[in-house]
């Protein structure tokens, strides 16, 4: 269990009993998606350009960054009919798998719909909240190698279930390459419009609106550093979801899961990109060694071996801990995006888990099942942000209005309290407004 | 109803039938809380200082900006005992009013607690969400003239109801001035620690932690442009609530509410500060004139007359519209923070209202009652952000973890779908991880 053991697998090996465990874990977890001053100023220029010149700027930036030669926004716009064609053109196996996944995601998210509520007090005063959907949502879908149809489903279906009136999707098409699966997923998920735009210019179009692109109320979906910087800048003008870091998984095993299964679960995270993080934890040292052996043996058979190798070397870890309690403490400290509890009795641990994006329970629940089709959302808080944020959900596409309806009697009683407090804050118009409603 | 009528009241008068109505309304609503490059760079320097030098930087910045001469953080720290003393030292009338308000706010927010949920599919697969509270929340309370005890209740009580383990409050004390009502409210609301810090340095302390100030998971509460800029910068490191603009109200009346009441309701918004916005709308032109007369007559009697006058002149408006439908369209276009429906039948309008922070229904429901003690939160989305965001609530201090527990049968079926989709995305480790769970 130390780095000095010669092995073909380049990955950090830690034990919670090591003197430098805390520091090494901290260093492994450290991640900052900082945009430097140069990125900042380029993004600001693009935002300003789109805001001031609308479609003309959009076409210009898109031609430059995506190496296209569009003459106008009509060449960068795809309507509902084009999306339907993409769906119908898919091989039947893919079409059915996509439809099955979409249906499961839809059913799960239907369970998330919060309702409006109210209650009436004894004097007739009514209090509550009215829940309504956003008018228009914007979905950012990365293009190129990271264009995932599953992400289209995961971002657009909750908006659709929430009752959003119009869903606008943007996806860049570098060198004109269009992903038919992505368009097919947009069709299934209820997307109304697709614009083949990306980067900060796509974010600007959604935030401010142009002659062609309608302004949206919220922008969701992952993107590169330009997209993340632009989202942070327009936050307030429009709503945004979390700014996503690289994807990560923490796998906990009690020693009884097939090491090959665990190795592949770790690889499925590591294959995303070089920054992705896969961490394995067990209190069974022999099991940790067996998982390591499986990883070494299976790695050369992987299609994306170079990416997995880089990811494991840079950010992966095999951690041996003392017992279950230490494993729980590690979970809550890391607040992982994906948590796999490969245990006989995962339910027993659940009440102790305070921070995790998604919890995959038991030996059969591979993260990959959740990524595609189990039903829950695969857009999850990364880099420890599960401490304060949630999976993307229907609630992200709804908002609430407080309802206050005072009866004459209720207003009279509340008026007295409000008057005292308002005068304590020297806000006398508040006080006098309340006092008008006090009965003599 | 035109600007040419001589009057003692300086306020915009608009009619929806004016040719330039849209443009004038747009100009009135325009608000951008932009921080310029100078503010940006000063904030970044402060954030870096606190991050690198902790308490020492905190004491240094606080002494400089708040004109203090503290020697260490112990002089800038107030514990639970000090807060209790503040509460017990209040005049009995204020103590009782504060306690009554706190109790009503608590009861209302108890209704907001979402529960964990799960469902079991026919093959035994379990799906759901587990709701948990944040470990630690930070409440920013402005100091000086805008130090409002009611804001302490409104920010801290939802955190307390949510089950947050530790609530840390920061409030600047410029020139050493401490507001006993604010400390008393902190005691009532369940605040654990108060640090007398403000500005970007307080935000930095909460976001990164120092030797004395514990790092929190989310920062809520309003502040000046330095606070807002710092919150935007640390977003991602920690959660933040919305970045608040000036407060605003839209009052709709059917013509039967006492014009004096309506004038005072508008003043109660305008008295906050010069940027606050009060807009009155009715389809009864004579009623609009009567409200204007009441405003002219009452304005000289107001303690905060100069602020109200500036606010009305700069951002206020009296709008005459054609009918109820036009009033509803105006509501949804403005998406007001506060909406007062001073109507005989406000319930009839409710289903048509898509965007509003809080809706005050009927003639008795003055906004001031909601500001202090009706129960709902007074921290509300401003500047049209009710299009996509909600009142501060218990849900802001909780987060969700997805629960996925596949049965062996469930995993086998899902594995097939996941395998097809993963191979469509060229993620073969995902596919093989899913395929291990397919039964032969």
């Amino acid at each position: 269990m130390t780095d000095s053991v010669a092995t073909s697998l380049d990955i950090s090996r830690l034990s919670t009993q090591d003197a430098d465990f805390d520091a090494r874990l901290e260093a492994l977890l450290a991640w900052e998606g900082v945009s430097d001053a140069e990125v900042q100023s380029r993004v600001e220029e693009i935002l300003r350009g789109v805001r001031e010149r609308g479609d003309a700027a959009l076409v210009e930036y898109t031609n430059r960054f995506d190496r296209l030669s569009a003459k106008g926004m009509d060449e960068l716009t795809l309507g509902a009919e084009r999306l339907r064609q993409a769906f119908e053109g898919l091989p039947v196996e893919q079409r059915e798998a996509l439809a099955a996944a979409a249906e499961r995601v839809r059913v799960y998210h239907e369970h998330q719909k919060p309702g409006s509520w109210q209650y009436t007090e004894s004097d007739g005063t009514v209090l509550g909240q009215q829940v309504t959907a956003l008018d228009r949502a914007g979905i950012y879908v990365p293009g190129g190698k990271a264009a995932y149809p599953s992400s289209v489903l995961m971002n657009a279906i909750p908006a659709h279930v929430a009752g959003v009136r119009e869903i606008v999707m943007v996806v860049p098409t570098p060198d004109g390459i269009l992903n038919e699966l992505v368009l097919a997923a947009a069709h299934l998920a209820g997307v109304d419009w697709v614009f083949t735009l990306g980067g900060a210019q796509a974010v600007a179009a959604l935030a401010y609106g142009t002659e062609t692109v309608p302004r949206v109320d919220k922008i969701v979906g992952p993107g590169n550093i330009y997209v993340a910087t632009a989202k942070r800048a327009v936050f307030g003008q429009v709503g945004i979801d979390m700014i996503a870091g690289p994807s990560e998984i923490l796998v906990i095993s009690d020693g009884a899961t097939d090491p090959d299964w665990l190795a592949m679960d770790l690889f499925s995270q590591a294959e995303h990109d070089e920054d992705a993080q896969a961490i394995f934890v067990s209190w069974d040292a022999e099991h940790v060694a067996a998982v390591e052996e499986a990883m070494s043996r299976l790695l050369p058979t992987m299609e994306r071996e170079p990416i997995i190798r880089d990811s494991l070397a840079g950010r992966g870890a095999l951690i041996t801990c003392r017992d279950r309690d230490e494993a729980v403490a590690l979970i809550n400290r890391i607040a992982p995006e994906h948590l796999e509890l490969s245990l006989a009795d995962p339910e027993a641990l659940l009440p102790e888990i305070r921070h995790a994006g998604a919890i995959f329970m038991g030996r059969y629940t591979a993260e990959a099942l959740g990524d595609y089709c189990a039903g829950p959302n695969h857009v999850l808080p990364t880099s420890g942000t599960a401490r304060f944020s949630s999976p993307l959900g229907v609630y992200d596409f709804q908002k609430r209005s407080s309802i206050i309806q005072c009866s004459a009697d209720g207003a009279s009683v509340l008026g007295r309290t409000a008057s005292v407090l308002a005068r304590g804050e020297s806000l006398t118009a508040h006080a006098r407004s309340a006092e008008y409603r006090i009965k003599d």
Side-chain angles (χ1 to χ4, degrees), chain A residues 337-341 346 350 353 355-361 365 380:
Chain A
E337 181 192 10
H338 303 96
L339 171 64
E340 197 170 301
L341 298 178
L350 203 52
I353 295 170
H355 314 301
I359 309 173
F360 300 81
M361 297 170 63
T365 315
L380 296 165

Side-chain angles (χ1 to χ4, degrees), chain A residues 63-341:
Chain A
N63 283 341
R64 190 193 313 166
F65 298 129
D66 292 341
R67 299 166 297 280
L68 304 181
S69 50
K71 303 217 165 31
M73 275 302 296
D74 55 320
E75 293 178 46
L76 304 175
T77 306
L78 306 174
E81 181 55 23
R82 175 67 183 85
L83 307 184
R84 197 178 55 75
Q85 283 169 9
F87 179 69
E88 289 175 356
L90 288 185
V92 64
E93 188 184 40
Q94 284 192 340
R95 201 164 63 210
E96 286 177 1
L98 208 57
E103 176 60 12
R104 288 190 62 89
V105 172
R106 193 190 61 71
V107 168
Y108 176 85
H109 285 81
E110 286 284 352
H111 283 84
Q112 281 182 342
K113 282 181 90 158
S116 301
W117 54 271
Q118 59 177 49
Y119 60 99
T120 306
E121 300 187 304
S122 57
D123 62 19
T125 294
V126 176
L127 301 171
Q129 280 193 320
Q130 171 161 291
V131 179
T132 48
L134 306 192
D135 280 351
R136 205 182 275 131
I139 313 280
Y140 188 98
V141 177
K145 56 174 181 170
Y148 296 141
S150 55
S151 292
V152 176
L153 300 184
M154 294 293 182
N155 279 281
I157 290 175
H160 199 68
V161 170
V164 170
R165 294 178 170 206
E166 196 172 1
I167 303 173
V168 180
M169 186 173 117
V170 291
V171 56
T173 53
D175 301 308
I177 294 163
L178 208 59
N179 184 324
E180 291 294 313
L181 267 165
V182 162
L183 301 187
H187 166 76
L188 268 178
V191 169
D192 296 284
W193 287 98
V194 172
F195 298 100
T196 53
L197 304 166
Q201 59 275 18
V203 173
L206 294 172
Y208 307 128
T210 69
E211 301 93 312
T212 308
V213 181
R215 184 183 81 150
V216 304
D217 300 305
K218 186 164 186 170
I219 303 173
V220 302
N224 63 19
I225 189 69
Y226 290 93
V227 173
T229 304
K231 279 170 70 180
R232 186 185 292 271
V234 299
F235 171 57
Q237 277 278 341
V238 292
I240 63 169
D241 59 349
M242 280 304 302
I243 291 170
S247 194
E248 7 107 20
I249 193 170
L250 178 64
V251 178
I252 315 282
S253 172
D254 60 9
T257 305
D258 185 331
D260 285 15
W261 290 23
L262 296 167
M264 199 59 72
D265 295 352
L266 294 162
F267 289 169
S268 77
Q269 192 56 243
E271 77 173 338
H272 274 293
D273 58 68
E274 294 76 0
D275 294 324
Q277 182 159 57
I279 299 179
F280 178 73
V281 173
S282 182
W283 47 88
D284 178 338
E286 283 180 35
H287 184 54
V288 176
V291 170
E292 179 175 345
E293 182 280 323
M295 292 170 82
S296 298
R297 174 168 37 80
L298 291 169
L299 184 51
T301 74
M302 301 309 301
E303 286 81 350
R304 292 165 76 94
E305 182 192 347
I307 296 172
I308 296 173
R309 198 175 282 283
D310 284 355
S311 157
L312 294 177
R315 305 200 69 221
L318 300 171
I319 302 179
T320 310
C321 65
R322 281 191 185 83
D323 51 27
R324 289 170 70 114
D325 286 350
E326 253 190 11
V328 169
L330 272 173
I331 291 168
N332 286 325
R333 171 167 174 189
I334 294 173
E337 181 192 10
H338 303 96
L339 171 64
E340 197 170 301
L341 298 178

Side-chain angles (χ1 to χ4, degrees), chain A residues 44-55:
Chain A
E44 270 161 36
E45 187 197 320
I46 293 169
L47 294 178
R48 198 165 44 242
V50 173
R51 194 170 193 173
E52 291 171 2
R53 297 188 295 114
D55 282 354

